Amino acid sequence: MDELLLVGVIAGAFGIKGQVKLKSFTDRPDHLSRHIRTLLIGKDHAPYRLVRAIEHKPGLLVLTLDGITTRDAADDLRGAEVFIPAQEAAPLATDEYFLHDMAGLKVFTTDGTAIGTVKDILVTGANDVLVIARTGQPDALVPMVREFVVELDIPGGRLVIQPIEGLL
C-alpha cells in the first residue's frame, strides 16, 4: 500500500444525517475539501468517498461520507483515524515539511558535534518542539524555530542546530 498521511481523527457524529466531526491535523483543510475524493478510515483503511468537507471551526471539519447516512453509523466511526495517500497531499512550500519526515534525523550542532536523533515532535500552540534522543542523557527539547534550527536536510537525514546556553 502507498504511504499514508494521517489527516485527523473522527471526533463523533454531527447532526442526525450521518455527518462526522473530524479533528483535523492538517494545515490545509481547503485542500482536503477541494482535492481529496477518498478517505481511508480506521485500522483497516476502509475507503469512503468524501462527498463534502466544510470547516466548522479551526481544527474541526464536518465531513459527509458516501454510505454514512445515520447518526448511529457516524457514531460507529468515533475515534477512527483518517488517512489520505501521501501523493494526494497538498504540495509543500520550500520552508514546509511533514512532521513524520523528521523522525530519525541525526542532529548536530553548528560546530559538527553529534547530539542525537529526532525521536518525536511535540505540536504546541506556538511552534513545534523537537524531542532529541541522546545516548546516556535525558532527551533534549529544541524549539523548531529558525533561531535554533539552522539547517534541515530531510533527504540527507540531518538537522543542524545552533544551541544556546542551557538548551541542551
Side-chain angles (χ1 to χ4, degrees), residues 23-39:
K23 181 180 177 193
S24 175
F25 301 148
T26 177
D27 291 338
R28 303 235 180 101
D30 60 316
H31 178 79
L32 191 67
S33 63
R34 292 183 188 153
H35 301 285
I36 304 301
R37 299 293 166 245
T38 302
L39 298 174

Side-chain angles (χ1 to χ4, degrees), residues 2 13 28 37 50-51 53 56 82 97 114 134 138 144 151 153 164:
D2 295 330
R28 303 235 180 101
R37 299 293 166 245
L50 178 61
V51 176
H56 182 59
V82 178
Y97 51 89
R134 303 184 295 172
M144 188 70 182
E151 181 184 341
D153 179 9
I164 60 170

Side-chain angles (χ1 to χ4, degrees), residues 2-115:
D2 295 330
E3 182 178 347
L4 300 177
L5 292 180
L6 178 65
V7 294
V9 173
I10 295 180
F14 182 86
I16 61 171
K17 296 186 179 183
Q19 293 176 305
V20 296
K21 295 181 286 187
L22 178 74
K23 181 180 177 193
S24 175
F25 301 148
T26 177
D27 291 338
R28 303 235 180 101
D30 60 316
H31 178 79
L32 191 67
S33 63
R34 292 183 188 153
H35 301 285
I36 304 301
R37 299 293 166 245
T38 302
L39 298 174
L40 305 168
I41 299 179
K43 293 178 182 164
D44 297 333
H45 304 129
Y48 286 88
R49 188 172 71 80
L50 178 61
V51 176
R52 184 173 167 190
I54 59 168
E55 189 169 18
H56 182 59
K57 53 181 146 179
L60 188 67
L61 305 176
V62 175
L63 307 180
T64 302
L65 303 171
D66 191 34
I68 304 297
T69 58
T70 67
R71 184 173 182 87
D72 288 341
D75 243 353
D76 288 345
L77 295 175
R78 181 187 303 269
E81 294 180 323
V82 178
F83 300 88
I84 62 170
Q87 72 268 15
E88 293 183 16
L92 296 174
T94 54
D95 63 341
E96 292 182 317
Y97 51 89
F98 288 119
L99 293 180
H100 70 272
D101 288 338
M102 303 288 291
L105 293 179
K106 303 294 181 200
V107 182
F108 301 89
T109 62
T110 51
D111 67 5
T113 304
I115 300 298

